[in-house]
Amino acid sequence: MARVETIPELYNTTLWKFKAEGNANITLSYVGENARFSATVLRLRKDNQLDTIIDPQYFTYSYANFIMKPLIGDKYVGESILLEVQPEFLKALSKSVLKIRSNKRTQKDIDHNQKYAILTPDHTVFPSNISPTLSVELKPKWAFLPSSPFIENFVKFQSCRFCMHKYLKRGPTDDVTRYCPLDLFSLEDKRIRKAIEALIDCPGSNLKLFIQGLQIEIGKENWLTSLCEFFEIGYPELDDKKQHYVIDMLIVLLIQVIMKEQYLFRRLKILQKTLDELDIEGINKLLITLRPKLSEPLLEEWKLIVDEYMKRTTANNSNNENVLEFMSTMENKQIHQRIYEYLMSATLKDCSIIFSFRKSDIRDFAEQKSHSSQIFQNKERLQQISLSETQSPISDSLNKYPYDNYLDKPYVYKVNVIDLDPKPLAKLPYYQELDAKIVENYLKCGATNNKCSE
Ligand SMILES: O=P(O)(O)O[C@@H]1[C@@H](OP(=O)(O)O)[C@H](OP(=O)(O)O)[C@H](O)[C@H](OP(=O)(O)O)[C@H]1OP(=O)(O)O
Ligand SMILES: Nc1ncnc2c1ncn2[C@@H]1O[C@H](COP(=O)(O)OP(=O)(O)OP(=O)(O)O)[C@@H](O)[C@H]1O
């Protein structure tokens, strides 16, 4: 059941400060004094021409909580509340945050007609303000190489979607990022390091850093001093060596946490891949040749789609030969199933993961109460991690610096997956066109020697 609340004391614009935004949503932090709401954010939907269902925010909430959360794992998706809101409040909010928003995002305003906003824990802070917090938000994107027999151009079997897309996305003078999601999802120390280094060099929208819940621009003035403060490294003379050291600390921390949370990365990869067995090219064939009558499934229908997917994948009935054979005999229900599965995969290809760290404190494990905002019932899961924890070569890179007394410090962290919004059916033609454009442009760029490996 959705948790819907009306909380009059929250309908005051001075209590909300712009935090961050993406293409479809804006997030505001609670800055009021009521401890009940401390460390919470309000997530507001922007205007979206593709919204066809009534109450998109209600559906978004339900889809994330009742469809995506059980698929990924309950512990990775935080609690949330649907907060009833009025157009006047939304209009006032959109006015109050306008100045701080970046120009590239302001073409889309907050949708003033939404009946609900989503109130959820701020995953970039810890409610108990014991020591400084560092948060890292990763948007890892597509984790696999496709193998659908419907793919026409061989290049898609060799270069991953992200690595082809980056050639289309770069500006005329931009370098192409070296980030490849398959490195991150490889779960090998060296390749994770390569992925993180590439993200730090060229973060785009795939890597964000927050200190005390405030985003710091990677590479911009003071970003390293903020990191030094977090890692407690004196920075009066932040020479090259110290800069490398502090960046290495960040990288090692991330490698450790990704290795600890392997399950999540494996799960995202397997879900993305098995929900997208046909590739958009196979989906497009279904749409063109069979012209199925489609409508946005209701929540209960989505649950049946998930059940059907689980049945198929647990029966291990998903190899390519079967897919081809199966396509020729597909019934209407199965066609629909594959199309809706593709949309689920699209959600998982676009979600983000937030890791938040702070130094471990004796109170962490004593004061269980303080691990979540008071308005949410479940306590957040805190894990312990230490930079020197592993024998692997990753910590050797830190040992070569003369500051190695910092290595033993234990940290606690929490991990949360955000942005599990449904993708509308109306996006399918766009996906097909974008796919064709990405491949065409990639071939034109002559970059096809860059092969990705899973
Ligand atoms: O198509 P992609 O892979 O570029 O993904 C889009 C994202 O671009 P990215 O490449 O991550 O910079 C895009 O992100 P940005 O606007 O680039 O930050 C959105 O996440 C978009 O989803 P939606 O329209 O918000 O539902 C995303 O669209 P979907 O494809 O996930 O529907
Ligand atoms: N619960 C949260 N805690 C902290 N920060 C959050 C939370 N939810 C969202 N954010 C911040 O707000 C940003 C925008 O939110 P979100 O990713 O949901 O928007 P979006 O428009 O769906 O993004 P995209 O363009 O990637 O699809 C996130 O990238 C993140 O920095």
Side-chain angles (χ1 to χ4, degrees), residues 417-449:
V417 177
I418 60 160
D419 195 3
L420 294 166
D421 294 2
K423 301 287 178 180
L425 272 172
K427 246 192 158 175
L428 286 174
Y430 163 79
Y431 287 150
Q432 196 278 323
E433 280 161 33
L434 179 62
D435 178 71
K437 222 158 121 188
I438 288 174
V439 172
E440 190 194 333
N441 178 72
Y442 186 61
L443 294 172
K444 245 197 259 157
C445 291
T448 49
N449 282 342

Side-chain angles (χ1 to χ4, degrees), residues 175-370:
D175 288 336
V176 168
T177 171
R178 290 174 294 113
Y179 172 64
C180 170
L182 306 196
D183 285 331
L184 194 72
F185 284 94
S186 70
L187 300 176
E188 291 167 24
D189 287 357
K190 263 196 179 157
R191 289 185 65 191
I192 301 175
R193 171 177 277 276
K194 187 172 161 237
I196 299 169
E197 283 175 350
L199 285 173
I200 291 173
D201 284 350
C202 191
S205 61
N206 303 96
L207 178 69
K208 287 184 191 170
L209 290 189
F210 298 82
I211 298 268
Q212 303 295 73
L214 293 177
Q215 193 176 344
I216 52 171
E217 291 275 340
I218 298 171
K220 294 271 159 69
E221 212 187 335
N222 291 341
W223 84 283
L224 286 176
T225 49
S226 306
L227 273 187
C228 284
E229 270 165 19
F230 174 77
F231 287 115
E232 299 179 342
I233 298 168
Y235 55 84
E237 51 344 312
L238 193 52
D239 54 22
D240 276 3
K241 202 167 174 180
K242 246 186 193 174
Q243 289 188 16
H244 279 120
Y245 178 66
V246 74
I247 293 173
D248 250 17
M249 289 191 83
L250 172 65
I251 294 171
V252 171
L253 198 61
L254 280 172
I255 298 174
Q256 303 263 31
V257 84
I258 290 168
M259 294 303 279
K260 268 210 145 171
E261 297 297 336
Q262 292 189 29
Y263 170 83
L264 173 62
F265 285 83
R266 283 190 215 287
R267 187 78 191 137
L268 282 177
K269 177 175 171 155
I270 198 105
L271 286 169
Q272 286 186 13
K273 189 170 174 142
T274 51
L275 287 164
D276 176 13
E277 244 176 18
L278 306 185
D279 189 80
I280 189 63
E281 294 187 48
I283 295 295
N284 198 41
K285 283 209 171 70
L286 289 181
L287 292 172
I288 289 172
T289 51
L290 305 169
R291 300 195 168 275
K293 280 209 176 69
L294 296 161
S295 56
E296 297 289 352
L298 303 170
L299 190 68
E300 290 311 310
E301 292 167 321
W302 274 115
K303 287 182 183 161
L304 297 176
I305 293 164
V306 171
D307 288 348
E308 193 57 37
Y309 158 76
M310 297 299 267
K311 256 192 248 159
R312 187 181 82 247
T313 45
T314 36
N316 202 13
N317 187 15
S318 51
N319 62 52
N320 290 336
E321 279 161 38
N322 283 348
V323 168
L324 265 182
E325 199 182 299
F326 170 70
M327 279 283 272
S328 56
T329 60
M330 255 178 166
E331 289 169 15
N332 226 4
K333 186 179 166 220
Q334 292 162 322
I335 297 165
H336 286 205
Q337 173 74 22
R338 293 306 181 116
I339 293 169
Y340 296 132
E341 284 186 12
Y342 186 84
L343 295 178
M344 290 202 272
S345 175
T347 292
L348 294 158
K349 291 163 180 162
D350 196 40
C351 68
S352 301
I353 304 168
I354 301 182
F355 292 109
S356 285
F357 307 90
R358 67 169 159 73
K359 265 193 310 175
S360 183
D361 187 283
I362 187 105
R363 285 166 288 180
D364 282 327
F365 299 94
E367 287 180 19
Q368 283 300 322
K369 271 203 315 240
S370 55

